[in-house]
Amino acid sequence: MIFHDRTTAGKLLAQRLSHLKGKNVVVLGLPRGGVPVAFEVARDLNAPLDVIVVRKLGVPFQPELAMGAIGEGEVVIRNEEVIRMASITVEDFERAKARESQEVASRATRFREGRSRIALKSRLALIVDDGIATGSTAQAACDVARELGADQVVLAVPVGSREAIAALTKKADEVICLDVPDNFFAVGQWYEDFSAVSDEEVIDTLRKAHTWSKANSH
């Protein structure tokens, strides 16, 4: 299945999530690419939209390889296998954690333009991304949502790798993925248009959703 762009993918994903209508849902987009997808889902479910900010902790000499991840609320995930194989010291890990935790805080403030985070306590957190390759960020997002008090965590993506989706079923109460292709190399190969999403687009999308859900709550 090839998606035209993130908006199309979001509309298709929303169709698969109709069983969540009327539940106490907060839709959480993983910035940046997950936000346009999440916007379509939130609109269809008539649910509030927020971001869940998590950062991968890359191995110092190979930043693409995740030795863990960190999210809002100081939630830290460690990938012990990578840490062992890459001989990561406590100092290496702590240094990366300190750097990325500052980044998490500043992004959260920037994306929300100072608005407070939507409370997840006793609600269903629906985490949405544009696709999942390794799953380390999505795993962190699931843990963050639980730490922030979500009753249930559902992860929904248009496309994902078989291994990552299998691993995520241990983290989320439900995982919904429209397509789990056999030869998965990167998320971008399943989109005709996979242009980068800018911070401005994320901010603008969240602002739009905030205005819209405020109008709907009156």
Side-chain angles (χ1 to χ4, degrees), residues 115-184:
R115 288 186 299 273
S116 52
R117 188 168 59 212
I118 296 176
L120 298 182
K121 195 161 174 49
S122 309
R123 301 181 83 166
L124 187 154
L126 174 55
I127 298 166
V128 177
D129 204 356
D130 53 10
I132 285 176
T134 65
S136 58
T137 311
Q139 285 189 35
C142 292
D143 286 340
V144 170
R146 288 200 201 279
E147 287 284 325
L148 296 174
D151 257 2
Q152 266 185 295
V153 176
V154 176
L155 178 78
V157 290
V159 64
S161 76
R162 202 167 291 284
E163 290 137 7
I165 296 296
L168 282 156
T169 56
K170 299 182 185 78
K171 284 282 178 188
D173 298 298
E174 189 181 1
V175 177
I176 290 149
C177 181
L178 299 184
D179 195 17
V180 185
D182 286 330
N183 335 323
F184 187 101

Side-chain angles (χ1 to χ4, degrees), residues 13-199:
L13 192 58
Q15 291 170 13
R16 277 284 296 276
L17 296 166
S18 57
H19 64 293
L20 299 178
K21 278 186 180 157
K23 304 264 173 91
N24 196 2
V25 177
V26 179
V27 180
L28 301 165
L30 273 167
R32 305 179 180 96
V35 175
V37 183
F39 179 76
E40 297 302 328
V41 170
R43 193 156 58 170
D44 196 70
L45 293 179
N46 199 13
L49 173 69
D50 200 356
V51 281
I52 187 155
V53 183
V54 291
R55 297 278 291 171
K56 195 162 68 172
L57 298 178
V59 168
F61 54 86
Q62 199 180 340
E64 269 313 294
L65 180 62
M67 58 180 176
I70 185 163
E72 294 181 75
E74 293 294 307
V75 177
V76 180
I77 314 295
R78 293 169 56 89
N79 185 327
E80 298 299 349
E81 196 185 345
V82 172
I83 289 169
R84 195 180 61 248
M85 279 165 52
S87 310
I88 300 300
T89 65
V90 173
E91 290 75 20
D92 287 337
F93 194 87
E94 287 304 315
R95 204 174 299 123
K97 195 175 91 177
R99 184 179 61 244
E100 294 301 350
S101 100
Q102 275 185 325
E103 186 60 30
V104 164
S106 78
R107 278 176 167 229
T109 308
R110 185 162 76 242
F111 290 148
R112 293 196 187 99
E113 300 183 291
R115 288 186 299 273
S116 52
R117 188 168 59 212
I118 296 176
L120 298 182
K121 195 161 174 49
S122 309
R123 301 181 83 166
L124 187 154
L126 174 55
I127 298 166
V128 177
D129 204 356
D130 53 10
I132 285 176
T134 65
S136 58
T137 311
Q139 285 189 35
C142 292
D143 286 340
V144 170
R146 288 200 201 279
E147 287 284 325
L148 296 174
D151 257 2
Q152 266 185 295
V153 176
V154 176
L155 178 78
V157 290
V159 64
S161 76
R162 202 167 291 284
E163 290 137 7
I165 296 296
L168 282 156
T169 56
K170 299 182 185 78
K171 284 282 178 188
D173 298 298
E174 189 181 1
V175 177
I176 290 149
C177 181
L178 299 184
D179 195 17
V180 185
D182 286 330
N183 335 323
F184 187 101
F185 302 111
V187 174
Q189 77 186 107
W190 307 100
Y191 283 85
E192 286 168 8
D193 173 7
F194 197 63
S195 342
V197 175
S198 67
D199 281 0

